[in-house]
Amino acid sequence: MILKAHEASRTLIRLNPDIRLYLFGGPDEAGSRALRDIVASSLGEKAERIDLSTSRIKEDPALIADEAAAIGLFGGARWVSVSVNSGSGDELLVAVENLLNAPAAGNPVIVTVIGLTTKSRLTKVAERDNRCIAAISYPPEARDAEQIISTLALALGLEIDRKTGSAIAAATVRDRGLMAREIEKLALYCDSSPDTRTRASIADWEAIGAGVDGADMGPLINATFGGQLAELPQSLAELESGGALDIALVRSLLTRAHLLARLRVAVEEGERPAQVVAAQGKAIFWKEKTAIERQLSHWDAARLARVALRLHQLENALKAPGSPGGLLVRQAVMEIARAAAR
């Protein structure tokens, strides 16, 4: 069955033993991880997590079904986790069918697929089988993002006005993970706690040096995916002077890659880029529409999948101790822009 992402959390909070497969994906990677964590929490804190790689599953398509039926050495709850960091996850189709056709499967399997869409073959499997639950997460709209920020803040004892919430949503390109981290930093700065109520203003948020406003990243993002190499040096210099050649920028680039990948599906089915962008309505800021139309003509789905994988690898590299962060970001930006220019 297919659930809307914003409704899924209410369904997933209580474990259903009849569900064998949970399938989460889409452009909002943080939203998919949040749904995965809800299911994992329903199994209890001591539940054992079994991670399987796509390469192992391709070599042994029975592996998922075997792990789903296996009993842990010490008993107790177990769950199987599979992450697909590029593409639609079609390489798992045989393994998923083996799971659903197996005589028994006591451990739930949670698969997260970045490139999952409503037209993916895995989604179609989930749609027709009541032992599957699928949800595709999209970045929240501006109003929803502000509500998420308010909820995160209240849990840490912060009250945030609308102006501050809007600024945080814009600067984090409405990425749930980044929004949570900004709220955590703000709570530390304001010395708040869940047992108190502390008001946080836009001045408080700006005082912690919370990165560059999301709109300021726009020129670099558009130049990168538009292949406008001549514009990159100035955009890179401006962001570097503000200390913004970091994970926040990488995730902003990832957000654009995921958006283009989602829209490109319709383009490759015969629609014109202008039609596809127009159909998104207010989900795409009006100033970005023309740039995104051009970018949809530069890229196809396969190349966007490779870009997304490259950016995920870059994020992991930036987290490593002693990473030459800014240099790695510059290199990746230039590589993507050159690919677009070609």
Side-chain angles (χ1 to χ4, degrees), residues 284-316:
I284 296 178
F285 187 43
W286 66 271
K287 288 185 177 180
E288 296 285 339
K289 288 181 182 288
T290 301
I292 290 174
E293 285 177 23
R294 288 198 300 265
Q295 291 159 25
L296 283 172
S297 301
H298 279 293
W299 297 91
D300 59 31
R303 294 169 74 218
L304 286 166
R306 290 196 290 273
V307 168
L309 179 59
R310 173 75 173 89
L311 290 170
H312 279 287
Q313 292 170 338
L314 173 59
E315 180 176 342
N316 290 332

Side-chain angles (χ1 to χ4, degrees), residues 30 33 152 156 168 172 175-188 205 208 210 247-248 251 315 319:
R33 287 198 302 268
L152 291 169
L156 297 176
I168 294 174
T172 56
D175 181 290
R176 295 171 197 261
L178 292 177
M179 289 191 293
R181 276 192 283 280
E182 291 303 324
I183 295 301
E184 289 166 3
K185 289 194 292 184
L186 189 56
L188 286 172
W205 184 64
I208 65 175
I247 287 178
R251 292 198 168 182
E315 180 176 342
K319 294 175 183 176

Side-chain angles (χ1 to χ4, degrees), residues 129-287:
D129 197 311
N130 288 332
R131 294 168 300 172
C132 304
I133 285 180
I136 298 176
S137 299
Y138 299 99
E141 299 291 336
R143 183 178 299 177
D144 295 332
E146 290 170 21
Q147 182 58 51
I148 291 169
I149 287 169
S150 178
T151 301
L152 291 169
L154 284 173
L156 297 176
L158 281 179
E159 291 182 356
I160 291 181
D161 59 34
R162 186 171 182 178
K163 181 179 180 181
T164 307
S166 178
I168 294 174
T172 56
V173 290
R174 303 200 295 274
D175 181 290
R176 295 171 197 261
L178 292 177
M179 289 191 293
R181 276 192 283 280
E182 291 303 324
I183 295 301
E184 289 166 3
K185 289 194 292 184
L186 189 56
L188 286 172
Y189 177 79
C190 294
D191 196 26
S192 68
S193 71
D195 301 325
T196 63
R197 281 292 177 268
T198 304
R199 289 197 64 81
S201 68
I202 188 71
D204 294 322
W205 184 64
E206 290 173 347
I208 65 175
V212 179
D213 187 285
D216 290 336
M217 293 184 182
L220 176 63
I221 292 170
N222 285 327
T224 301
F225 283 97
Q228 297 161 309
L229 294 165
E231 297 182 18
L232 286 179
Q234 181 178 349
S235 294
L236 284 167
E238 289 174 356
L239 291 180
E240 188 171 33
S241 66
L245 292 187
D246 57 9
I247 287 178
L249 173 59
V250 174
R251 292 198 168 182
S252 296
L253 291 165
L254 257 173
T255 297
R256 176 60 58 86
H258 291 160
L259 172 65
L260 292 174
R262 176 166 62 87
L263 300 183
R264 183 67 196 180
V265 172
V267 174
E268 294 184 1
E269 290 177 349
E271 294 186 43
R272 291 185 292 107
Q275 289 177 306
V276 176
V277 172
Q280 303 305 303
K282 294 182 179 179
I284 296 178
F285 187 43
W286 66 271
K287 288 185 177 180

